[in-house]
Amino acid sequence: MPKTTKPILYEDQKIVVEKVLELIKQEKKRILVYAETGAGKTTIATELISYAVKAGMPCLFIVPDEPLIDQTIKTATKFGLKCGVIKSGRKEDRSQKLQIAGIDTLINRKFPLAEIVFADEAHVSYSPTWRKVLEYYWQMGSVVIGLTATPYRTNPKEGLGEIYDCLVQAPQMADLIEMGRLCPFKYFGFPKLDLSRVRKTKGDYDKEDLAVVVDTDLACEQIVGEWEQKASHLKTIAYTVSLNHSDRLQAAFQAKGYNAVCVDGRLENDARSPIYAGFASGGKFDPQILISVDVLEKGFDEPSVACIIQARPTMSRIKYRQQIGRGSRKYPGKEYCIVLDYAGNAYRFGFVTSRQQVSLDKDKASAPGTAPIKACSRESGGCGALLHLSVMVCPHCSYQFPVRNKKVNYNYSMVALAPRVASGNTELEDWIAFYREVAQRSFKKELPPGNAIALFHQKFSATPAPDITKGAIFGENPSDNQKNLYRAYLQRQALRSSKDLEWVGQYMKLEFG
């Protein structure tokens, strides 16, 4: 094996590894690691495997798709690990302490000995095939570590807590952008589609019904026209409803002289490799646009992708976040990734940079809803950008949204502290508990920080004093990283509402003293 330089883990990755190791010491057998795109879930897993292999413990790494096998082998090689592969068409070597297996092959072969089992894309652990494999290893006393960037279920009656009993979280996408490890996004939308007559089957929109709405010449021409204006110089992935839809969109791009290639089930894996290589190199005669039906959502990692076209409406938060995650990687000269959301998915799930509420409980949060998003009106001279409801001036084209009078007008600006003091400890505890709840919710949901003060004033007819506001979000001993995250949040809010740095400083003082 050629010499390789072992990757150096980031501090947050080391923390995840330490937490998992501590749970294993506590004899926990069902551990779920939530690490979004860019957080390095395979790197985290391989570091854990390194510890296990050095201790003489056999490990099994299971993946749902063949491209993920090669990706995992590549990462293991960087760590200096030798591995066997259990996959149809590949020669097995079960003498190695690390075995990497495709689930479809593994289920039909003798299960290898493994003290620690890694289940990649663990949100699919509910399927009968996965459950059969995992139950076998639990009965054998093995530790099972699930890995996922999207810990959601389409069925809100299901929760991953029925499979895993411990959750370890890595930084979310918003944190990784703030840390400079992922690139930010710019969203642009189209007029909302009428999906009222589209049926729902198996937790998502019916493909045949969707095709009637989106698989049209007019729709494809609109997408290509918008792409020409916003992203004609960028490498792009487009996600479609069906093979016919892919072909129609490809024809629309080609009619304008652009090199677009369909990557879907009609292509064998061997035929895809040269397409991916050409797409990565970006030569004059190489494809600039890849059009996909259910292929390029996971296991495909090309950092130079700088535009994502969502031409397929979905009710799956997993599918939505996986698709946009393909454009999140940093790359030289890439300032941001453009998302052209023809499907209206952002209205259902919000921006991928919104903080996610993740738990092992039944997953009501993964269902689509109505996100606090609006479009910069093209009809009024705007650019079509999708923005948070609180934004009054579009940062892309400077369009000013009209101010509407509201029946209730909360004052989100700073106000003088009220002199009223709580009469007793019980009352003060109630005030602190309420303020902490609303302040944390405002922070997590990217709402203005003054929202907490307004709601507190509305409930108690008083303004919270420093002994109530200090440490409401991060506690008594905040880390430097937490302070930086909160300052970045305040800076975003300041830009949205035309506040200055003094305003940022006032809210920093309220939280940290």
Side-chain angles (χ1 to χ4, degrees):
M1 181 181 294
K3 264 194 169 182
T4 58
T5 303
K6 180 181 176 181
I8 299 174
L9 272 64
Y10 293 103
E11 286 302 314
D12 52 271
Q13 293 173 332
K14 292 178 183 177
I15 291 171
V16 172
V17 170
E18 290 167 2
K19 287 181 177 179
V20 173
L21 292 174
E22 182 60 32
L23 289 170
I24 293 174
K25 288 179 182 178
Q26 296 172 16
E27 299 187 351
K28 300 296 183 182
K29 302 291 186 181
R30 305 170 180 233
I31 304 167
L32 181 66
V33 175
Y34 163 43
E36 289 201 282
T37 300
K41 65 182 175 70
T42 308
T43 298
I44 290 167
T46 311
E47 178 75 358
L48 289 165
I49 291 169
S50 296
Y51 281 106
V53 169
K54 286 179 182 177
M57 302 170 67
C59 296
L60 173 63
F61 194 103
I62 313 172
V63 301
D65 301 297
E66 184 164 355
L68 293 172
I69 290 180
D70 294 325
Q71 190 180 91
T72 306
I73 293 172
K74 184 177 179 181
T75 304
T77 301
K78 290 179 181 178
F79 278 78
L81 293 169
K82 295 181 179 180
C83 59
V85 179
I86 304 173
K87 178 64 182 175
S88 178
R90 303 201 189 192
K91 185 178 180 181
E92 291 189 14
D93 179 4
R94 299 221 175 183
S95 67
Q96 302 299 335
K97 288 291 186 182
L98 170 60
Q99 296 292 317
I100 301 173
I103 186 69
D104 292 338
T105 301
L106 180 65
I107 195 66
N108 295 311
R109 297 191 182 175
K110 183 181 177 181
F111 294 170
L113 176 67
E115 293 187 49
I116 301 182
V117 176
F118 294 84
D120 200 15
E121 306 292 335
H123 49 273
V124 301
S125 299
Y126 250 92
S127 75
T129 301
W130 279 90
R131 290 294 286 267
K132 180 179 179 180
V133 173
L134 299 185
E135 289 292 346
Y136 169 83
Y137 282 104
W138 280 320
Q139 291 175 10
M140 298 298 293
S142 305
V143 174
V144 173
I145 301 174
L147 308 166
T148 182
T150 51
Y152 315 109
R153 297 294 303 159
T154 302
N155 186 345
K157 295 181 180 179
E158 298 174 349
L160 288 171
E162 296 177 25
I163 302 173
Y164 302 96
D165 53 23
C166 301
L167 175 64
V168 179
Q169 298 191 43
Q172 295 193 10
M173 193 173 287
D175 303 321
L176 295 168
I177 291 173
E178 296 292 349
M179 295 173 186
R181 303 229 301 266
L182 295 179
C183 73
F185 294 88
K186 286 186 179 181
Y187 278 77
F188 293 91
F190 295 74
K192 290 186 179 180
L193 299 172
D194 181 5
L195 303 178
S196 59
R197 296 188 179 184
V198 176
R199 293 169 296 165
K200 284 111 179 153
T201 55
K202 297 181 180 179
D204 207 343
Y205 292 116
D206 181 84
K207 288 186 177 183
E208 292 182 1
D209 285 1
L210 273 183
V212 175
V213 179
V214 301
D215 185 7
T216 67
D217 290 334
L218 177 60
C220 291
E221 289 167 4
Q222 286 180 328
I223 291 172
V224 173
E226 184 74 6
W227 180 84
E228 282 191 300
Q229 294 180 33
K230 303 288 195 308
S232 62
H233 59 297
L234 302 177
K235 289 184 186 177
T236 300
I237 299 177
Y239 294 97
T240 56
V241 172
S242 64
L243 299 180
N244 286 338
H245 190 200
S246 291
D247 292 341
R248 192 184 301 274
L249 186 57
Q250 179 190 37
F253 274 113
Q254 291 177 341
K256 294 283 188 174
Y258 299 105
N259 193 342
V261 175
C262 295
V263 180
D264 47 52
R266 293 172 293 188
L267 283 178
E268 296 293 335
N269 287 329
D270 291 344
R272 296 174 191 174
S273 297
I275 294 174
Y276 296 159
F279 181 70
S281 66
K284 182 177 179 180
F285 300 105
D286 291 317
Q288 182 186 355
I289 306 123
L290 300 183
I291 303 173
S292 169
V293 183
D294 298 331
V295 169
L296 299 177
E297 293 170 0
K298 54 191 175 184
F300 180 76
D301 187 12
E302 175 48 55
S304 60
V305 172
C307 177
I308 300 294
I309 297 174
Q310 289 207 307
R312 173 184 181 165
T314 184
M315 296 179 67
S316 167
R317 186 179 295 269
I318 294 173
K319 190 178 294 292
Y320 169 65
R321 295 185 71 85
Q322 283 179 334
Q323 289 177 358
I324 294 181
R326 299 311 100 200
S328 65
R329 302 288 187 180
K330 298 275 284 187
Y331 189 77
K334 177 180 169 183
E335 295 181 30
Y336 46 78
C337 175
I338 289 177
V339 177
L340 299 182
D341 184 15
Y342 180 82
N345 291 327
Y347 289 110
R348 282 183 281 277
F349 298 111
F351 300 125
V352 293
T353 49
S354 299
R355 296 188 181 278
Q356 304 297 297
Q357 301 295 315
V358 177
S359 76
L360 295 176
D361 297 330
K362 291 182 179 180
D363 194 10
K364 296 178 181 178
S366 69
T370 303
I373 288 174
K374 62 185 176 183
C376 181
S377 174
R378 287 187 174 89
E379 292 79 5
S380 301
C383 63
L386 298 182
L387 307 165
H388 193 276
L389 281 177
S390 62
V391 176
M392 298 307 295
V393 179
C394 177
H396 309 304
C397 69
S398 301
Y399 170 79
Q400 294 189 357
F401 289 88
V403 178
R404 294 182 175 88
N405 293 325
K406 300 179 180 179
K407 292 181 181 179
V408 180
N409 182 23
Y410 294 117
N411 180 11
Y412 289 141
S413 60
M414 291 296 296
V415 294
L417 291 174
R420 177 177 173 181
V421 178
S423 58
N425 288 338
T426 301
E427 185 178 13
L428 180 59
E429 288 173 2
D430 291 341
W431 285 21
I432 291 174
F434 177 83
Y435 184 83
R436 285 182 177 178
E437 179 183 349
V438 293
Q440 290 173 12
R441 185 166 66 241
S442 295
F443 174 66
K444 291 175 181 177
K445 294 189 175 182
E446 284 284 306
L447 299 174
N451 182 52
I453 293 176
L455 292 174
F456 184 97
H457 190 277
Q458 181 186 31
K459 186 174 179 67
F460 299 111
S461 300
T463 302
D467 57 341
I468 294 173
T469 64
K470 186 177 179 182
I473 299 173
F474 298 104
E476 295 180 359
N477 299 302
S479 66
D480 289 340
N481 182 46
Q482 289 172 327
K483 290 180 180 180
N484 290 335
L485 286 175
Y486 193 63
R487 182 180 295 278
Y489 153 76
L490 292 175
Q491 289 169 342
R492 292 194 297 273
Q493 296 295 329
L495 288 172
R496 290 170 180 166
S497 53
S498 301
K499 302 294 185 182
D500 56 20
L501 289 178
E502 182 180 356
W503 178 89
V504 172
Q506 288 176 315
Y507 275 104
M508 288 289 290
K509 187 174 181 180
L510 283 180
E511 174 62 24
F512 302 113

